Amino acid sequence: MYGLGIDTGGTYTDAVIYDFDSKKILCSAKSLTTHENLSVGISNSLGKIAEQDNTDLNKIEIVSLSTTLATNACVENKGGRAKLIFIGVDKNVVCDVGSNYGLPDADEIYFLDYNGKHNGDIITYPDWDKFSKEIFDFLSDADSVGIVDIHAMNNGAVFEKKAKDIILNSDKFDKQVICGSELFDDLNSVKRGSSALLNARLIPIICDFIDAIKQSLNKYNINAPVVLVRSDGSLMSENFTAVRPVETLLCGPCASVMGGIALSGEENCLVVDMGGTTTDIAIVKDGTPLKSNDGINIGKWRTFVKGIYIDTFGLGGDSAVRYDKNHVLYLDSTRVVPISIISNEYPEIVEKLRELAESDKIHTYLLHEFFYLLKDISEEINNYYTDEERRFCRLLKKSPLIYSEAAEKMDSDVYKLNFARLEREGIIIRCGLTPTDIMCIKGDYNAYGPEAAKLTVKYMSRCVDLTEAEFCDKIYDEIKQKLYINILRILWEHNKPEDYTNVYRVDNIHNYPLTRDLYNLFKHSWENDIPDFSVNISTPLSIVGVGAPIHIFLPDVAKRLGVKCVIPGNAGVANAVGAVMGNITVSCDIEVKPVYGSGGLEEYIVFGKSGNLHGTDYAKAIEFATAEAEKYAYEEAIRRGAVGNITVKSKVVENNAKLRGNSGFLLNTAVNATAVGRISNLG
């Protein structure tokens, strides 16, 4: 029984075939991600797998995906035309704090008023007749909508369900409608609104992605069910994902973490995943990655999406190697297309670089970089892009342009050329020197010829007054140092005093959110350059490296830390491995809250999923809460795609307040149920 794991990342699309019977990876493949049409990159990887010996794609019974698509949409603030309905939420509050969570102006949100209490009691009801008359004009230009009630967690979400029924039972709106209570059970209604709106914006993006995936699968007659990785490392069906795409935030890095754990067998470690654009680090204790309990924050969005704690920073194979105006060499966090890769597609680039390298030019501007067209807007008829921007895109349709050539063709010069907006919006991208190119020069990566990279280094080394060998060695050391300092930073922040960074944080120190003293301490610890003073820093955790280039850099970092370094087999495709090896895990919490009056305990309230229960019998309240939690967890596991035997476990945790002496009283009781199942009948 085979499973196919596919990860579509910012640079590469990876695929693996996993045999669930033998518990082995049978084969793997890697291709460049084609952002203009994702199905092309996926098809390329599938084609490479199909060409390998003893590979039978007909045996594939499950296809599991991970991707950075939702993450990138958040960072770039892209998405579908979504609307948000707030029920009982104060518009003034949204005006004051909504932008802090990623919400639009309050005037772009529909507010439905009513008066209720935190315990779920309703004082006055919403004006449903007014809502029915107004809501469809509000939704006329929307392709999805989220609904959030301020007291949904304590009133059984009755008003969210009512509003959803009114919309869906009309023939005026036939798009996706999702309630905040269907996504999250946290109390902050503004943050729930942000999460629900983001989910609605992501629906068309993820649906298009799934359609592209199916095109590739159909090309190779793969008819297996498709699942995606959630932000906590578990899986969900494609149908569930199409309704709740917000659950895929950071699913790509999560898949890498789960793959790293499975491939290495390490139970207490740091998983370090170096990709093309970023490096992602997770902390694993007792075989389980630490969770981000407060929700994932990404771009401008503050969400309640629960996931694995992952620290991400800009360092990868495609990070730009640049120098500043003082001719000091550094690694930028910006992604550029490696010069070795682009010259493979456009051989004329080599001659342009040769001319630059053999000249005697030394310049403060990055004359070796090229502009490359990603999305053609040259013929678009709108007022958003200027004539100059459209003209520049027309020039780039034939071939990438080196910096000076671009300035010349635009009747400008290198000092005035400015197309930052086109770069920011992903219309064009720079091509330049990267760690990938240095790896090609050193022979650590042989997929592309090193000629273009060598010519670029010849020019740049002259600009920074280094020999070509010194230049390449310095970039390798910069990568290792950046890994080392960020590992120490993450460990420090995980173990620091609670309010340390709130008081002492200094920003913009080489992109490290550390105090100046700590940054310098970590830096000197790596360089060991203080006479008569030695700094040794270590951790008891082992370090597991995944991602294509990690084996080149991480062992030296681990050696400096004095810890075990594990680079498992198939580390380069750990993301695809993690995608295919997951299962479905659902957790549900139900609160039982005592109500005290002047005479003592008056009753217990169970804030259930189907409604609230009031009573004076504590045992019955716990029994009801447990049944509610187990029922929801089980049914949610099925909704996410679990089949066969689904195990459900529950636990009860009492939260007591302690008074003087030995007395105390019950604040509340949390009943938790967890359901675990397989996405299919896999071993």
Side-chain angles (χ1 to χ4, degrees), residues 325-382:
K325 62 182 180 180
N326 296 316
H327 299 275
V328 176
L329 190 65
Y330 72 99
L331 263 177
D332 202 337
S333 58
T334 302
R335 175 183 177 265
V336 298
V337 178
I339 205 73
S340 301
I341 294 178
I342 199 68
S343 64
N344 186 65
E345 184 178 355
Y346 298 94
E348 63 269 24
I349 283 177
V350 175
E351 293 308 313
K352 295 177 182 179
L353 289 170
R354 190 185 311 281
E355 180 181 348
L356 182 63
E358 293 178 353
S359 70
D360 57 358
K361 288 183 180 178
I362 294 177
H363 209 284
T364 56
Y365 273 59
L366 304 169
L367 298 185
H368 63 282
E369 292 191 346
F370 288 74
F371 294 95
Y372 177 72
L373 184 66
L374 287 176
K375 179 183 177 183
D376 184 16
I377 51 96
S378 60
E379 305 304 326
E380 286 192 12
I381 303 174
N382 56 48

Side-chain angles (χ1 to χ4, degrees), residues 420-558:
R421 183 169 73 157
L422 293 180
E423 291 186 69
R424 186 172 58 249
E425 296 182 359
I427 306 300
I428 64 175
I429 191 172
R430 301 279 188 101
C431 309
L433 194 72
T434 67
T436 295
D437 298 303
I438 305 300
M439 291 180 234
C440 290
I441 293 173
K442 283 179 168 284
D444 290 324
Y445 184 54
N446 300 312
Y448 302 96
E451 186 178 10
K454 287 181 177 180
L455 292 169
T456 307
V457 168
K458 184 176 181 180
Y459 166 71
M460 292 185 69
S461 61
R462 186 168 67 242
C463 293
V464 297
D465 195 23
L466 292 171
T467 68
E468 293 170 37
E470 288 172 339
F471 185 103
C472 293
D473 289 344
K474 183 170 177 59
I475 295 304
Y476 265 36
D477 190 71
E478 285 285 322
I479 295 169
K480 295 172 186 176
Q481 182 185 111
K482 204 165 186 179
L483 282 171
Y484 177 83
I485 292 176
N486 276 285
I487 287 172
L488 292 181
R489 173 184 61 79
I490 291 164
L491 290 172
W492 168 258
E493 292 184 346
H494 177 63
N495 293 280
K496 70 182 185 308
E498 189 64 29
D499 61 349
Y500 183 89
T501 54
N502 292 334
V503 179
Y504 297 106
R505 177 169 293 196
V506 177
D507 293 323
N508 299 321
I509 301 178
H510 298 274
N511 296 319
Y512 300 112
L514 291 166
T515 69
R516 190 179 306 276
D517 286 344
L518 270 175
Y519 169 76
N520 287 330
L521 177 66
F522 294 165
K523 185 173 185 291
H524 290 311
S525 172
W526 171 261
E527 295 176 345
N528 197 22
D529 61 352
I530 305 177
D532 305 320
F533 182 64
S534 176
V535 180
N536 294 309
I537 305 175
S538 64
T539 173
L541 301 174
S542 59
I543 300 181
V544 175
V546 297
I550 197 67
H551 65 283
I552 302 170
F553 309 107
L554 195 61
D556 283 347
V557 175

Side-chain angles (χ1 to χ4, degrees), residues 386-404:
T386 66
D387 291 340
E388 187 180 36
E389 287 171 330
R390 284 193 285 264
R391 179 187 166 206
F392 191 50
C393 288
R394 280 194 293 272
L395 289 173
L396 294 178
K397 288 173 71 172
K398 296 180 180 179
S399 175
L401 295 177
I402 200 168
Y403 211 108
S404 57

Side-chain angles (χ1 to χ4, degrees), residues 32 153 330 414:
L32 288 173
M153 300 304 99
Y330 72 99
V414 295

Side-chain angles (χ1 to χ4, degrees), residues 586-589 626 629-631 633 648-651 671-675:
V586 177
S587 183
C588 176
D589 294 296
T626 302
E630 291 181 348
K631 180 176 181 290
V648 182
K649 296 181 180 180
S650 58
K651 62 180 180 180
V671 178
N672 172 268
T674 301

